[in-house]
Amino acid sequence: MPTTDAHVTYDADRKTVVFQTAGDVLSTTADGLRAALEDVLHSPSVHGTFDWLEIDLRTAHMVDSVGLNLLVWLWRAVTARGARLRLKISSPNIERTFRFTRLCERVEVELER
Amino acid sequence: MLVVDDDPIFRRIAESALTEAGYEVICAPDVSAAQAVFDHVDAASLACALVDYGLPGCNGIEFVEWLNRRHPTLASVMVTASPEQWLLERSLQARVCAFLGKPLGPADIRRAAARASDITNQRRAFAEMRHQVEQAGRLQKAMLERMLRSGDVSLEYRFHPRYDGSGDFLAYHRLPGGQDVFLMSDAAGHDLHALAQSAYFHGMLSGMLRSGQALPEALCEYNRALLDEPAGQVSSVSVSALQVHRGSGCVSAWNYGGPPPVFVDGQGWVRTIGTRSSPPLGWFADSEPTLDRVEIPSGPVWMWTDGLEDLAETLNASSLSVAYSLLEAHAGEPPQFVAEAQDDVLVARIWPGAAAHARTPEYVQPLIAEDYGPETIAIIDHAQERWVRSLQLALPALSESVRYDLVLCAREAVLNALKHGCSPQGRGRFQVLFESSRQLLRARVWDPGSGYDFDVAQHTARDRDDPVEDHRGLLLMHAHAPRVSVRRGGAEVTMEFPLHPAREEKTSR
């Protein structure tokens, strides 16, 4: 499984866990990302303490179907905890993917141009 | 011998010493007088220049630099009464071949002059050799131009030899029976030996074909000729030969170790005519070419030498995209990436079915044609980088969003084919073709599997109600590709991407 270069911080004021990842969300990187995200979700230090999970994907240029499935899984997991998911992106192409697949109707998508 | 010194005593000593050594000596007291010598003396008759640094007006270094510009083969010796380190360094920068401190005896002067004279001779021999190589290269290009612009044939080509001469060549022959033969050859190496071998090959083949010998026999004959070369000399020539039989409407290709010709078949798939699994001419007495025969394609046939494939590898792009980029570039202005070629590059687009000077019909330009097996799944990111680079090279003005859509959909389709339709024995195909008349890119994926039924509309509706986690790749393809068509239960997928899509707003197709 490829290693994932992720950085996790907790913003207590906004009750938001920020998960910053580097690179694309693809079939070749999704497993590593999923493992890292599971660690975050099951971590005793954040469990039940956040309203928002924010995934910073601003360095990603592509999200493929396996990457999308990962985000759908994450949305389910976060929603089940009573929290919400926010995706920060900088690629208009990824924004189109989220729009075409209606993912943006279920999670908050912030496009930073 | 030219002696430039404002000191009359040194001029006399030098003149006397050099005359005694058999030189004819011309003396000048300053730079303008020395420059004026070249108005009435042929520079090629001078053996060297003995130049004092401390001259009135401009100094000796400036005169040597002037000589280097005007008569670069003439060697110079710097003499000075102040042989300091900085002047030595400056003189070396000015390419002097000796640096001598005064006082100098006649023997010192003669020794330095003899050495400089040798260097002048070496430089002249080298310049002459270079001139001859350049002439050979120019002649090769002129012959290529004359042969391929003969008016009997419709083709375009680009030739980028690594040096002046090259082992690559493309010849065209109209045989007595009216058949056309195209011979793309690559003699091993990219030096004068390769150029001579190439010229010999085409001369011999030309004679044999024009005297009625059949192409396969002529190639065998040349193989024997190469094997008859003196022991210790191994020469080889890779050949890809195309023969157009207008009467029977077929094209035959014989291939000895070269990249096989490429065309787009009636079903729109990129194909090669034959393979390259044969050694080049000159290796083995019993070498057999690969042979294939197809109907004359409605579009062009592409041929290139392996230098193009090496260049494509260096650029991490497909050979087809590099070929297209080269052929579309203006002949005198090759794309910058050509500088990265480590070998000669020759590429041609031949219209075997079109009459010469006829307006060539609209055709489909293949940009990517690759075969993949399951092992590609692990390196799909690398394959994807190659597709991106290929599209950037071939269509630099292609918008990022169209490229993204194509590459994303291709990734999904190829992975789907590799996971569900391929095996180590049954490989899948991925091809991208460009229709310039419709300004359209077409991506095609084929696998040998049987496919399966899949209702996209139903699945999309289900996904809309509650996001699904299966078949998302297919949904993504249908969302990002403006047009998708499938055959054989999805084992053949064709996706079309207009270069200038209408302003779309396609939420969740």
PDB file of all heavy atoms in Angstrom, chain B residues 169-185:
ATOM      1  N   PHE B 169      17.380   6.750 -44.279  1.00  0.00           N
ATOM      2  CA  PHE B 169      16.995   7.215 -45.611  1.00  0.00           C
ATOM      3  C   PHE B 169      15.656   6.600 -45.975  1.00  0.00           C
ATOM      4  O   PHE B 169      15.297   5.521 -45.509  1.00  0.00           O
ATOM      5  CB  PHE B 169      18.052   6.812 -46.653  1.00  0.00           C
ATOM      6  CG  PHE B 169      18.038   7.666 -47.883  1.00  0.00           C
ATOM      7  CD1 PHE B 169      18.597   8.933 -47.863  1.00  0.00           C
ATOM      8  CD2 PHE B 169      17.453   7.217 -49.052  1.00  0.00           C
ATOM      9  CE1 PHE B 169      18.584   9.733 -49.001  1.00  0.00           C
ATOM     10  CE2 PHE B 169      17.434   8.013 -50.191  1.00  0.00           C
ATOM     11  CZ  PHE B 169      18.009   9.272 -50.161  1.00  0.00           C
ATOM     12  N   LEU B 170      14.924   7.324 -46.808  1.00  0.00           N
ATOM     13  CA  LEU B 170      13.665   6.796 -47.346  1.00  0.00           C
ATOM     14  C   LEU B 170      13.716   6.947 -48.858  1.00  0.00           C
ATOM     15  O   LEU B 170      13.954   8.041 -49.371  1.00  0.00           O
ATOM     16  CB  LEU B 170      12.469   7.591 -46.787  1.00  0.00           C
ATOM     17  CG  LEU B 170      11.103   7.258 -47.382  1.00  0.00           C
ATOM     18  CD1 LEU B 170      10.704   5.816 -47.106  1.00  0.00           C
ATOM     19  CD2 LEU B 170      10.036   8.192 -46.816  1.00  0.00           C
ATOM     20  N   ALA B 171      13.525   5.839 -49.559  1.00  0.00           N
ATOM     21  CA  ALA B 171      13.555   5.892 -51.021  1.00  0.00           C
ATOM     22  C   ALA B 171      12.191   5.492 -51.560  1.00  0.00           C
ATOM     23  O   ALA B 171      11.468   4.701 -50.950  1.00  0.00           O
ATOM     24  CB  ALA B 171      14.621   4.942 -51.554  1.00  0.00           C
ATOM     25  N   TYR B 172      11.899   6.083 -52.708  1.00  0.00           N
ATOM     26  CA  TYR B 172      10.651   5.737 -53.387  1.00  0.00           C
ATOM     27  C   TYR B 172      11.000   5.254 -54.791  1.00  0.00           C
ATOM     28  O   TYR B 172      11.832   5.864 -55.475  1.00  0.00           O
ATOM     29  CB  TYR B 172       9.746   6.968 -53.461  1.00  0.00           C
ATOM     30  CG  TYR B 172       8.697   6.855 -54.523  1.00  0.00           C
ATOM     31  CD1 TYR B 172       7.616   5.996 -54.351  1.00  0.00           C
ATOM     32  CD2 TYR B 172       8.790   7.575 -55.700  1.00  0.00           C
ATOM     33  CE1 TYR B 172       6.659   5.869 -55.328  1.00  0.00           C
ATOM     34  CE2 TYR B 172       7.837   7.450 -56.689  1.00  0.00           C
ATOM     35  CZ  TYR B 172       6.780   6.594 -56.499  1.00  0.00           C
ATOM     36  OH  TYR B 172       5.841   6.463 -57.479  1.00  0.00           O
ATOM     37  N   HIS B 173      10.410   4.159 -55.197  1.00  0.00           N
ATOM     38  CA  HIS B 173      10.641   3.644 -56.556  1.00  0.00           C
ATOM     39  C   HIS B 173       9.303   3.295 -57.193  1.00  0.00           C
ATOM     40  O   HIS B 173       8.449   2.691 -56.544  1.00  0.00           O
ATOM     41  CB  HIS B 173      11.484   2.357 -56.522  1.00  0.00           C
ATOM     42  CG  HIS B 173      12.820   2.546 -55.882  1.00  0.00           C
ATOM     43  ND1 HIS B 173      13.885   3.131 -56.523  1.00  0.00           N
ATOM     44  CD2 HIS B 173      13.255   2.236 -54.632  1.00  0.00           C
ATOM     45  CE1 HIS B 173      14.923   3.166 -55.702  1.00  0.00           C
ATOM     46  NE2 HIS B 173      14.566   2.634 -54.543  1.00  0.00           N
ATOM     47  N   ARG B 174       9.157   3.691 -58.437  1.00  0.00           N
ATOM     48  CA  ARG B 174       8.009   3.170 -59.191  1.00  0.00           C
ATOM     49  C   ARG B 174       8.550   2.059 -60.072  1.00  0.00           C
ATOM     50  O   ARG B 174       9.414   2.296 -60.923  1.00  0.00           O
ATOM     51  CB  ARG B 174       7.347   4.260 -60.014  1.00  0.00           C
ATOM     52  CG  ARG B 174       6.258   3.697 -60.915  1.00  0.00           C
ATOM     53  CD  ARG B 174       5.128   4.653 -61.151  1.00  0.00           C
ATOM     54  NE  ARG B 174       4.350   4.902 -59.939  1.00  0.00           N
ATOM     55  CZ  ARG B 174       3.312   5.733 -59.900  1.00  0.00           C
ATOM     56  NH1 ARG B 174       2.963   6.389 -60.973  1.00  0.00           N
ATOM     57  NH2 ARG B 174       2.643   5.937 -58.779  1.00  0.00           N
ATOM     58  N   LEU B 175       8.056   0.858 -59.837  1.00  0.00           N
ATOM     59  CA  LEU B 175       8.582  -0.298 -60.562  1.00  0.00           C
ATOM     60  C   LEU B 175       8.015  -0.336 -61.982  1.00  0.00           C
ATOM     61  O   LEU B 175       6.988   0.292 -62.269  1.00  0.00           O
ATOM     62  CB  LEU B 175       8.233  -1.590 -59.815  1.00  0.00           C
ATOM     63  CG  LEU B 175       8.738  -1.674 -58.373  1.00  0.00           C
ATOM     64  CD1 LEU B 175       8.476  -3.057 -57.802  1.00  0.00           C
ATOM     65  CD2 LEU B 175      10.221  -1.355 -58.300  1.00  0.00           C
ATOM     66  N   PRO B 176       8.676  -1.087 -62.851  1.00  0.00           N
ATOM     67  CA  PRO B 176       8.208  -1.155 -64.243  1.00  0.00           C
ATOM     68  C   PRO B 176       6.725  -1.527 -64.353  1.00  0.00           C
ATOM     69  O   PRO B 176       6.032  -1.042 -65.225  1.00  0.00           O
ATOM     70  CB  PRO B 176       9.104  -2.246 -64.849  1.00  0.00           C
ATOM     71  CG  PRO B 176      10.358  -2.189 -64.031  1.00  0.00           C
ATOM     72  CD  PRO B 176       9.940  -1.830 -62.655  1.00  0.00           C
ATOM     73  N   GLY B 177       6.221  -2.360 -63.440  1.00  0.00           N
ATOM     74  CA  GLY B 177       4.813  -2.758 -63.504  1.00  0.00           C
ATOM     75  C   GLY B 177       3.865  -1.714 -62.941  1.00  0.00           C
ATOM     76  O   GLY B 177       2.664  -1.947 -62.848  1.00  0.00           O
ATOM     77  N   GLY B 178       4.384  -0.567 -62.525  1.00  0.00           N
ATOM     78  CA  GLY B 178       3.541   0.494 -61.975  1.00  0.00           C
ATOM     79  C   GLY B 178       3.352   0.414 -60.474  1.00  0.00           C
ATOM     80  O   GLY B 178       2.620   1.212 -59.888  1.00  0.00           O
ATOM     81  N   GLN B 179       3.998  -0.561 -59.838  1.00  0.00           N
ATOM     82  CA  GLN B 179       3.860  -0.662 -58.388  1.00  0.00           C
ATOM     83  C   GLN B 179       4.801   0.339 -57.703  1.00  0.00           C
ATOM     84  O   GLN B 179       5.891   0.602 -58.211  1.00  0.00           O
ATOM     85  CB  GLN B 179       4.202  -2.075 -57.933  1.00  0.00           C
ATOM     86  CG  GLN B 179       3.253  -3.106 -58.502  1.00  0.00           C
ATOM     87  CD  GLN B 179       3.686  -4.521 -58.185  1.00  0.00           C
ATOM     88  OE1 GLN B 179       4.796  -4.746 -57.726  1.00  0.00           O
ATOM     89  NE2 GLN B 179       2.812  -5.469 -58.410  1.00  0.00           N
ATOM     90  N   ASP B 180       4.351   0.835 -56.572  1.00  0.00           N
ATOM     91  CA  ASP B 180       5.174   1.771 -55.807  1.00  0.00           C
ATOM     92  C   ASP B 180       5.868   1.035 -54.669  1.00  0.00           C
ATOM     93  O   ASP B 180       5.247   0.217 -53.981  1.00  0.00           O
ATOM     94  CB  ASP B 180       4.299   2.875 -55.196  1.00  0.00           C
ATOM     95  CG  ASP B 180       3.785   3.819 -56.267  1.00  0.00           C
ATOM     96  OD1 ASP B 180       4.457   3.974 -57.305  1.00  0.00           O
ATOM     97  OD2 ASP B 180       2.699   4.396 -56.060  1.00  0.00           O
ATOM     98  N   VAL B 181       7.139   1.346 -54.477  1.00  0.00           N
ATOM     99  CA  VAL B 181       7.885   0.759 -53.360  1.00  0.00           C
ATOM    100  C   VAL B 181       8.459   1.895 -52.516  1.00  0.00           C
ATOM    101  O   VAL B 181       9.034   2.842 -53.059  1.00  0.00           O
ATOM    102  CB  VAL B 181       9.032  -0.148 -53.861  1.00  0.00           C
ATOM    103  CG1 VAL B 181       9.954  -0.532 -52.706  1.00  0.00           C
ATOM    104  CG2 VAL B 181       8.475  -1.408 -54.501  1.00  0.00           C
ATOM    105  N   PHE B 182       8.258   1.796 -51.202  1.00  0.00           N
ATOM    106  CA  PHE B 182       8.850   2.745 -50.255  1.00  0.00           C
ATOM    107  C   PHE B 182       9.819   1.963 -49.369  1.00  0.00           C
ATOM    108  O   PHE B 182       9.421   0.967 -48.755  1.00  0.00           O
ATOM    109  CB  PHE B 182       7.775   3.389 -49.385  1.00  0.00           C
ATOM    110  CG  PHE B 182       6.751   4.141 -50.195  1.00  0.00           C
ATOM    111  CD1 PHE B 182       5.610   3.502 -50.656  1.00  0.00           C
ATOM    112  CD2 PHE B 182       6.948   5.471 -50.513  1.00  0.00           C
ATOM    113  CE1 PHE B 182       4.672   4.177 -51.415  1.00  0.00           C
ATOM    114  CE2 PHE B 182       6.018   6.161 -51.273  1.00  0.00           C
ATOM    115  CZ  PHE B 182       4.870   5.513 -51.724  1.00  0.00           C
ATOM    116  N   LEU B 183      11.048   2.417 -49.335  1.00  0.00           N
ATOM    117  CA  LEU B 183      12.079   1.718 -48.554  1.00  0.00           C
ATOM    118  C   LEU B 183      12.582   2.639 -47.456  1.00  0.00           C
ATOM    119  O   LEU B 183      13.279   3.617 -47.737  1.00  0.00           O
ATOM    120  CB  LEU B 183      13.266   1.362 -49.452  1.00  0.00           C
ATOM    121  CG  LEU B 183      13.210   0.080 -50.262  1.00  0.00           C
ATOM    122  CD1 LEU B 183      14.412   0.026 -51.196  1.00  0.00           C
ATOM    123  CD2 LEU B 183      13.206  -1.136 -49.356  1.00  0.00           C
ATOM    124  N   MET B 184      12.221   2.366 -46.233  1.00  0.00           N
ATOM    125  CA  MET B 184      12.715   3.149 -45.093  1.00  0.00           C
ATOM    126  C   MET B 184      13.858   2.342 -44.489  1.00  0.00           C
ATOM    127  O   MET B 184      13.668   1.179 -44.115  1.00  0.00           O
ATOM    128  CB  MET B 184      11.592   3.329 -44.070  1.00  0.00           C
ATOM    129  CG  MET B 184      11.968   4.024 -42.796  1.00  0.00           C
ATOM    130  SD  MET B 184      12.031   5.810 -42.910  1.00  0.00           S
ATOM    131  CE  MET B 184      10.325   6.296 -42.709  1.00  0.00           C
ATOM    132  N   SER B 185      15.036   2.936 -44.428  1.00  0.00           N
ATOM    133  CA  SER B 185      16.178   2.168 -43.931  1.00  0.00           C
ATOM    134  C   SER B 185      16.921   2.937 -42.848  1.00  0.00           C
ATOM    135  O   SER B 185      16.843   4.169 -42.768  1.00  0.00           O
ATOM    136  CB  SER B 185      17.147   1.868 -45.080  1.00  0.00           C
ATOM    137  OG  SER B 185      17.711   3.075 -45.537  1.00  0.00           O
TER     138      SER B 185
END
